[in-house]
Amino acid sequence: MSSIAPSRQILVTSALPYANGSIHLGHMLEYIQTDIWVRFQKLRGHQAIYVCADDAHGSAIMLRAEKEGITSEQLIDNVKLEHSTDFADFLVDFDNFHSTHSEENRELSSMIYERLKDAGHISTRSVTQYFDPEKQMFLADRFIKGTCPKCSAEDQYGDNCEKCGATYEPTELKDPRSAISGATPVLKDSKHFFFRLQDFSDMLKQWTRSGTLQEAVANKIAEWLDSGLHEWDISRDAPYFGFEIPGEPGKYFYVWLDAPIGYMASFKNLCARRPELSFDAFWQADSTAELYHFIGKDIVNFHTLFWPAMLEGAGFRKPTAVAVHGYLTVNGQKMSKSRGTFIKARTYLDHLSPEYLRYYYAAKLGRGVEDLDLNLEDFVQKVNSDLVGKVVNIASRCAGFIHKGNAGVMVDTNPAPELTAAFLAGAPLIADAYEKRDFSRAMREIMGLADKANAWIADKAPWSLNKQEGKQDEVQAICSLGINLFRQLVIFLKPVLPHLAADAEAFLNVTPLHWTDHETLLTNHQLNAFKPLMARIEPAKIEAMIDASKEDLAAAADSAPAPAGNGELTKEPLEAEIKFDAFAAVDLRVALIEKAEFVEGADKLLRLSLDIGDAKRNVFSGIKSAYPDPSKLEGRHTLYVANLAPRKMKFGVSEGMVLAAGPGGEEIFLLSPDEGAKPGQRVK
């Protein structure tokens, strides 16, 4: 490795996992992506530091702890241990994994708030909210249920009806009740604190277009900026698990204020244990260090609007870049508990090597924000073909001949300089792809080199030459170069496959490999005994993992507590019966979805622009939770109720209804006609 000092100082974070549940494979996409990039930077000799923490505050954690009969502190400690173990076993190598419920975070959150307040960026005003008189707490919209004021559907949440798609204020609900206690809430005023996000509009317009974001993300954020920024509510009332606002008893920082500050707090905690690190050198406004956040597209607004504005207002540096990725689907669909594809990290690890998934994610991850599909059949084929059939195969083909024919010593000769030149020329391309987070391109380049190496070895056929008199020197030359090419592939893959690299280093009898080692070849070098480096994935293990995920779901259902308040499970009400004549009067047609998009300010709605043959229609549908990338609906046919009276909603007029089915949440399925159906065609 080069002896020169690292040329770059890089601090890297992943979004903080919420301390209220287990890590699943959707979460792991982000942490694996980040870990690969950090390992690459370290392999290149840079000072790259990877910090993270559990996001440990909020009402949800407080209420779950109460249900389990433990303190919030005990709950987050238990979850942190589980999360840390899962990450470590997936080979995610944090330099520090901390918690937002820490003294470092309390001090930094208070400091940032005080600086923002002193600079005039904090305002206050009274807010009227529903209050649970039994639990003595204000209720967020998701903790209020009642009867929809539009269609009279029962058991709807406080901001949106899942049956008719209407949106409304919680105060418009009929017969409201607390989803926590069952009590009837009352309206109550409370003083709230607001961050004046609009003060930073000009800065954000410049920063978001400065190359810090992918173009698609910058375009999305521009919609917010162009429509005008508003004050952001940063306070919550007691009882609340979090940090009390300085000088304001009973008022707490909203979890999303102190969560990103947790990045700073985790790094500060690390600095206290590593004196060579300086907190100010990385976070002061004029810092020359680099700061990268890896996040999912669902939390873009917090990281590209609120967070840089808070940092700017408090006198700290802003991120160098925010890398945004899409969601994970499994077998082309959203992860499903009923299908066994909602797979926890631990369930996966009980059946398969973490490096299989690390490689598959790397092979599919590009620079964009598109969703990544974990196709389990393709997963088996790709891992077995690329890693076992191409990379490991080179070593297993060549090692035996060197051990038997030359006591395990590699000879000093290069029978294919054009091949080593191709590997040398490929290294900068691979490095560039890693640097730009285009891991799929890096894997294609690496496997292209593996194909060249395997083709050359197959053409030379040392197993045939070894049977011929006087060909032993040629066999040793071929196999020694084969091992050198394998070594170079291992260097290129080391950020993705650290365990394979460590096992290969033991076989190669070398110290830990660094990036620049690809520039040299091993000559007159003693190898250790070869042991199998990676086994093929057996499809039966995939089936066992799926079955175990279904068992996890069944166990969770068996142990699910009854809702607070009534002590028994609530039964779903039967829908009112209708006469056949009324049903037959429904004008059901085929509709083509021409455009599908999010509705700004709506948690559950998508806006669908439909072609119904002889007309165009605009429909709001409460299916957002099942289709996080609405563009994937475009070009699809669905079923449309054409004679439903238009309904004026907060976001516009909805002209009819599309048909969907499912239990709700992620498992809502838009109904589609058979192939060949045309827009406007009536369905009998």
Side-chain angles (χ1 to χ4, degrees):
M1 182 181 176
S2 174
S3 60
I4 62 172
S7 58
R8 295 167 64 186
Q9 291 182 302
I10 308 170
L11 178 60
V12 187
T13 76
S14 295
L16 311 185
Y18 198 46
N20 193 33
S22 299
I23 302 297
H24 57 66
L25 297 194
H27 295 130
M28 286 311 310
L29 174 64
E30 178 169 307
Y31 302 99
I32 289 173
Q33 180 190 32
T34 316
D35 183 72
I36 289 171
W37 197 75
V38 172
R39 286 180 181 271
F40 167 72
Q41 300 297 348
K42 290 181 176 180
L43 192 65
R44 297 270 280 179
H46 300 305
Q47 183 187 52
I49 300 158
Y50 184 14
V51 299
C52 196
D54 264 343
D55 183 2
H57 288 155
S59 298
I61 286 172
M62 176 184 71
L63 294 170
R64 177 183 165 185
E66 184 179 300
K67 281 185 178 181
E68 294 186 10
I70 59 177
T71 66
S72 296
E73 287 82 1
Q74 287 173 315
L75 173 63
I76 63 174
D77 285 347
N78 293 343
V79 172
K80 185 184 177 188
L81 177 61
E82 178 189 332
H83 286 181
S84 299
T85 304
D86 287 347
F87 288 136
D89 289 350
F90 257 108
L91 313 180
V92 176
D93 189 21
F94 297 117
D95 288 276
N96 195 39
F97 188 77
H98 203 35
S99 170
T100 59
H101 193 63
S102 66
E103 281 308 306
E104 296 93 349
N105 204 26
R106 184 192 302 274
E107 293 168 5
L108 285 164
S109 297
S110 297
M111 175 204 296
I112 288 174
Y113 167 79
E114 294 285 9
R115 289 184 179 182
L116 294 173
K117 180 182 175 184
D118 291 345
H121 301 306
I122 301 295
S123 63
T124 62
R125 67 172 182 270
S126 181
V127 174
T128 302
Q129 292 176 281
Y130 268 132
F131 183 82
D132 185 328
E134 186 173 314
K135 295 293 292 184
Q136 287 291 298
M137 65 183 291
F138 284 95
L139 298 170
D141 294 352
R142 66 184 180 278
F143 293 140
I144 304 166
K145 284 196 168 185
T147 300
C148 173
K150 308 295 184 181
C151 72
S152 298
E154 298 180 356
D155 206 36
Q156 300 302 312
Y157 286 100
D159 61 346
N160 174 267
C161 177
E162 293 183 341
K163 183 177 180 183
C164 73
T167 59
Y168 38 73
E169 295 299 322
T171 51
E172 295 181 77
L173 270 182
K174 299 176 184 177
D175 304 319
R177 71 180 188 280
S178 167
I180 300 171
S181 71
T184 300
V186 297
L187 290 172
K188 189 173 180 180
D189 291 342
S190 174
K191 177 183 174 184
H192 274 234
F193 295 75
F194 295 83
F195 173 48
R196 292 179 51 81
L197 183 62
Q198 65 269 32
D199 293 351
F200 300 90
S201 293
D202 291 341
M203 179 276 291
L204 289 169
K205 287 178 180 178
Q206 185 279 325
W207 181 77
T208 56
R209 290 296 190 185
S210 64
T212 57
L213 309 177
Q214 295 119 301
E215 185 177 359
V217 177
N219 291 340
K220 184 64 183 175
I221 294 302
E223 296 177 14
W224 291 66
L225 292 167
D226 292 343
S227 63
L229 300 176
H230 304 285
E231 292 184 329
W232 176 41
D233 192 340
I234 61 168
S235 66
R236 294 295 184 268
D237 291 277
Y240 192 80
F241 185 58
F243 295 141
E244 207 165 39
I245 297 176
E248 301 291 342
K251 304 292 182 181
Y252 289 79
F253 288 129
Y254 174 45
V255 60
W256 263 110
L257 181 127
D258 67 65
I261 298 172
Y263 300 140
M264 304 172 76
S266 183
F267 182 66
K268 189 169 186 179
N269 175 264
L270 180 65
C271 290
R273 291 180 280 111
R274 286 177 51 178
E276 78 277 11
L277 295 177
S278 165
F279 179 84
D280 289 340
F282 280 83
W283 286 101
Q284 63 191 11
D286 61 351
S287 172
T288 58
E290 301 169 49
L291 172 62
Y292 296 87
H293 298 310
F294 285 71
I295 64 166
K297 61 184 177 183
D298 55 326
I299 52 174
V300 162
N301 57 334
F302 291 105
H303 283 80
T304 62
L305 293 175
F306 305 144
W307 177 229
M310 286 167 55
L311 290 168
E312 176 82 3
F316 289 105
R317 59 88 45 80
K318 297 182 290 295
T320 306
V322 179
V324 183
H325 62 81
Y327 298 118
L328 178 75
T329 58
V330 180
N331 293 338
Q333 301 181 63
K334 290 185 69 67
M335 294 193 301
S336 164
K337 292 179 179 179
S338 62
R339 290 191 295 268
T341 57
F342 190 95
I343 304 166
K344 292 181 180 179
R346 183 50 50 188
T347 306
Y348 173 95
L349 291 165
D350 287 341
H351 295 87
L352 295 165
S353 163
E355 295 204 308
Y356 297 151
L357 191 67
R358 289 176 65 97
Y359 176 71
Y360 191 77
Y361 280 174
K364 303 277 278 187
L365 273 165
R367 285 178 50 79
V369 295
E370 297 82 10
D371 293 348
L372 186 153
D373 185 48
L374 171 57
N375 181 292
L376 294 173
E377 184 176 336
D378 179 55
F379 168 65
V380 172
Q381 188 278 332
K382 190 161 190 63
V383 169
N384 289 348
S385 172
D386 288 3
L387 298 185
V388 181
K390 295 180 181 179
V391 178
V392 172
N393 184 53
I394 296 172
S396 61
R397 272 179 162 184
C398 298
F401 292 112
I402 297 174
H403 277 289
K404 292 176 183 177
N406 203 37
V409 177
M410 298 168 62
V411 297
D412 182 5
T413 185
N414 183 355
E418 72 286 353
L419 193 53
T420 54
F423 271 62
L424 196 62
L429 301 176
I430 295 166
D432 179 71
Y434 269 126
E435 178 65 44
K436 292 177 178 175
R437 305 182 309 279
D438 195 352
F439 298 161
S440 61
R441 177 162 63 92
M443 297 307 105
R444 288 194 300 273
E445 294 283 351
I446 293 168
M447 290 306 147
L449 294 175
D451 285 338
K452 289 180 179 180
N454 277 295
W456 178 77
I457 293 169
D459 180 64
K460 295 300 180 183
W463 44 88
S464 296
L465 289 176
N466 197 51
K467 299 174 184 177
Q468 300 176 29
E469 194 70 33
K471 296 290 186 178
Q472 298 308 309
D473 288 347
E474 188 175 351
V475 168
Q476 292 304 310
I478 294 166
C479 291
S480 292
L481 180 57
I483 294 297
N484 265 310
L485 298 177
F486 166 74
R487 170 178 167 270
Q488 288 177 299
L489 293 172
V490 167
I491 294 169
F492 298 149
L493 285 167
K494 189 171 182 178
V496 181
L497 306 171
H499 268 186
L500 174 66
D503 290 344
E505 287 160 353
F507 155 63
L508 293 168
N509 191 25
V510 295
T511 56
L513 294 164
H514 299 282
W515 187 262
T516 52
D517 289 332
H518 79 272
E519 298 169 359
T520 60
L521 300 177
L522 297 177
T523 58
N524 298 318
H525 179 77
Q526 177 69 58
L527 298 174
N528 287 324
F530 178 79
K531 298 177 182 178
L533 295 170
M534 184 172 282
R536 297 173 62 84
I537 301 177
E538 298 299 331
K541 291 192 174 182
I542 300 292
E543 295 170 10
M545 178 179 69
I546 296 297
D547 289 342
S549 296
K550 292 177 182 176
E551 291 167 6
D552 285 349
L553 174 64
D558 290 341
S559 62
N566 60 12
E568 65 181 14
L569 292 174
T570 303
K571 294 178 175 62
E572 290 294 325
L574 292 172
E575 296 294 336
E577 292 182 356
I578 63 171
K579 300 293 184 181
F580 179 80
D581 289 348
F583 175 73
V586 174
D587 182 3
L588 199 59
R589 302 190 196 181
V590 174
L592 171 66
I593 302 173
E594 293 186 328
K595 188 172 181 60
E597 56 191 336
F598 293 124
V599 179
E600 185 173 341
D603 291 336
K604 301 174 183 177
L605 293 180
L606 294 182
R607 178 187 285 106
L608 305 179
S609 299
L610 306 177
D611 176 0
I612 61 167
D614 58 353
K616 307 287 186 179
R617 291 289 186 266
N618 178 76
V619 170
F620 292 99
S621 181
I623 58 174
K624 180 178 177 181
S625 60
Y627 297 98
D629 182 0
S631 66
K632 290 192 174 181
L633 291 172
E634 294 173 3
R636 178 174 164 180
H637 290 89
T638 188
L639 300 181
Y640 167 73
V641 179
N643 61 338
L644 192 66
R647 182 179 295 276
K648 187 175 181 180
M649 302 173 67
K650 178 179 178 182
F651 306 100
V653 177
S654 186
E655 303 170 303
M657 179 188 294
V658 294
L659 299 189
E666 297 180 351
E667 295 190 46
I668 300 174
F669 307 101
L670 201 62
L671 300 188
S672 298
D674 292 337
E675 275 190 56
K678 304 294 184 184
Q681 181 179 338
R682 282 185 164 81
V683 179
K684 300 295 185 182

